[in-house]
């Protein structure tokens, strides 16, 4: 029998962003992430989940 397995890794990092509001801080963080100014790596590892993939 063949099974589809899903593997999810969780990476997380907390950063400081200077902004006038929470929404501006989110926008700035997303922009930095898209521009690869923030790149998560193995030192940001939190957890791995392995489960049967159900479509």
């Amino acid at each position: 029998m063949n099974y589809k397995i899903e593997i999810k890794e969780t990476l997380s990092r907390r950063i400081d962003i200077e902004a006038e509001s929470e929404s501006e801080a989110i926008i700035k963080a997303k922009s930095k992430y898209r521009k690869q100014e923030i790149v998560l790596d193995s030192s940001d590892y939190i957890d791995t989940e392995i489960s049967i993939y159900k479509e």
Side-chain angles (χ1 to χ4, degrees):
M1 189 164 245
N2 208 11
Y3 294 94
K4 288 190 181 201
I5 302 294
E6 180 176 39
I7 301 171
K8 291 183 187 178
E9 286 188 342
T10 303
L11 305 177
S12 177
R13 181 186 302 171
R14 294 181 179 164
I15 60 170
D16 291 324
I17 297 284
E18 184 73 29
E20 297 294 322
S21 66
E22 289 181 0
S23 59
E24 181 185 356
I26 295 290
I27 290 167
K28 285 183 172 185
K30 286 181 178 182
S31 176
K32 286 179 171 284
Y33 185 76
R34 278 193 300 272
K35 292 178 186 175
Q36 296 184 351
E37 294 173 16
I38 302 168
V39 178
L40 303 183
D41 60 30
S42 61
S43 67
D44 300 304
Y45 173 81
I46 299 296
D47 187 36
T48 300
E49 293 179 34
I50 300 175
S51 60
I52 298 293
Y53 180 76
K54 297 179 182 177
E55 298 180 54

